[in-house]
Amino acid sequence: MLFRSFFDEQLAHMSYLVGCQRTGEAIVIEPGRNVDWYIDTAKKEGLQIVAATETHIHADFVSGAKELAKRCGAKLYLSDEGDANWKYQYLDEVNYELVKEGSVFTIGNVEFQVLHTPGHTPEHISFLLTDKGGGSTEPMGIFTGDFVFVGDIGRPDLLEKAAGVAGTADVGARQMFQSLKKFKALPDYLQVWPAHGAGSACGKALGAVPVSTVGYEKLNNWALKIEDEEEFVKLLLTGQPEPPKYFAMMKKVNKVGPAYVNEEEVPALQTREQLDEYKANGAFILDVRPSQQFANGHYEGSINIPFNKSFTNWAGWLINYEQDIVIIANKEDVQSIRKALAYIGLDRVVAYVEPAVALNGEVESYEEIDVHQLQQYIKDDRYHLIDVRNQAEWDEGYIEGAQHMMLGTLADRLHEIPEGKTYIVQCRSGARSAIGASILQANGFKQVLNLKGGYLAWTREKLPVVKQS
């Protein structure tokens, strides 16, 4: 048997290629939209991808299962658990087999046994893998998807918070409690292969180690130590991070079936006037340069989301799926940026423009200040401090006088900001606040300052904070 794992650091997404070397067949588990990863690896190893599967209808990335069905002729093994609201709706386009608790299927001499493990979502399943080609009759490990992570478990509140299905968080938490009983009954030696690692919003305390074992999680995972259901439900639902806006769209896209990947080249704009025209027609002007470069000078109306590990997450929060997207970036980076956006279904990239062209004319800028300057400014009514950190960070302490507006919601709450001020934007370290500063300027709040070093710099200087009692 051949086993390969793939990690997309921007979404903390884990996927896997499992192949039977005797028959030359392979399956992809939890495929993301960038299916070239899997196809290239399979070819290198002398395997043919004949199947793909996933544990549930994902909310945080576009599934590559349908793409693999088209590109490789892969048969899809998909969940038949859950009610009518959680059934796949694109099955007439692919070769498929629906599976549920107790189902077994094989890829060459590798066997997969299905467990129904609801809680994160009603249709969620897990897969026990047994390498029968290697002579084993006992499973080697379990693909847990968003059920059990390293050090954490899947959150049950996404259907309610992101997809708007009222009353499902408590039900999901109780289903998760029951599903974990199945997990605890598994042999300690089984390896655990989850769909996400640290940095994913599908849990609240995911570990950075990519794999674990059932026995290790029994000893160390907080959720597996709690025996009382009411205590478990309360703790599981407390402190979950805000689900990104795009999660609701991902559920819909993966349920009805994603569009096939667009391979056409992104056209380049040659003049600033062309960029002006796109902006006038409502396009989202996305500047992906580092925040310091953007601060020093940028095209008016552009939003700065630096192309780094957090790029895809914040793009999903801030870009409307109904908008065309024009990227300000160097030509050599455009394809990678486009793929990162496509990973969450932001497919409307209509053009790109080189920074030199976009900045050939009048530009805007903003300055940074340090915490000692902030200490003086917040005493002056002409300044207004905006804290764009998450709710959990705010609850742990904040700078007196700050207005809390989590970055992902800032653009929707501009009407709550007092007019006629100079606005100081602050986060934990200065990175998210730089994005916030760009949002404010693009929406007409021109006098903007970014706090260098953020809340961490403030507390390092032992300056006063307010803490919730």
Side-chain angles (χ1 to χ4, degrees), residues 55-59 82 86 116-125 146 155-156 158-159 172 175-176 179 251:
T55 52
H56 64 295
I57 300 173
H58 287 280
W86 301 104
H116 184 210
T117 50
H120 179 65
T121 61
E123 82 287 2
H124 196 292
I125 54 179
D146 290 20
R155 60 191 297 179
L158 285 180
L159 294 183
Q175 288 178 331
M176 181 66 78
S179 292
K251 275 288 183 186

Side-chain angles (χ1 to χ4, degrees), residues 351-397:
Y352 81 94
V353 58
E354 294 269 2
V357 175
L359 302 179
N360 185 23
E362 287 189 22
V363 297
E364 286 189 326
S365 63
Y366 65 80
E367 295 182 3
E368 289 190 323
I369 62 170
D370 61 33
V371 294
H372 299 292
Q373 291 171 289
L374 174 61
Q375 195 177 20
Q376 298 303 313
Y377 291 162
I378 57 177
K379 300 174 184 176
D380 189 332
D381 187 55
R382 293 174 297 175
Y383 294 86
H384 183 70
L385 178 63
I386 299 173
D387 184 334
V388 297
R389 295 176 301 156
N390 297 337
Q391 185 65 47
E393 295 172 294
W394 171 267
D395 291 342
E396 291 176 358

Side-chain angles (χ1 to χ4, degrees), residues 130-142:
T130 302
D131 181 16
K132 293 201 166 182
S136 179
T137 58
E138 298 296 330
M140 173 189 294
I142 180 170

Side-chain angles (χ1 to χ4, degrees), residues 5 83 157-158 163 170 196 226 258 279 284 301 329 414 422:
S5 61
D83 61 29
D157 60 326
L158 285 180
D170 185 82
H196 296 290
I226 302 173
K279 184 177 78 169
F284 189 100
L414 296 173
T422 294

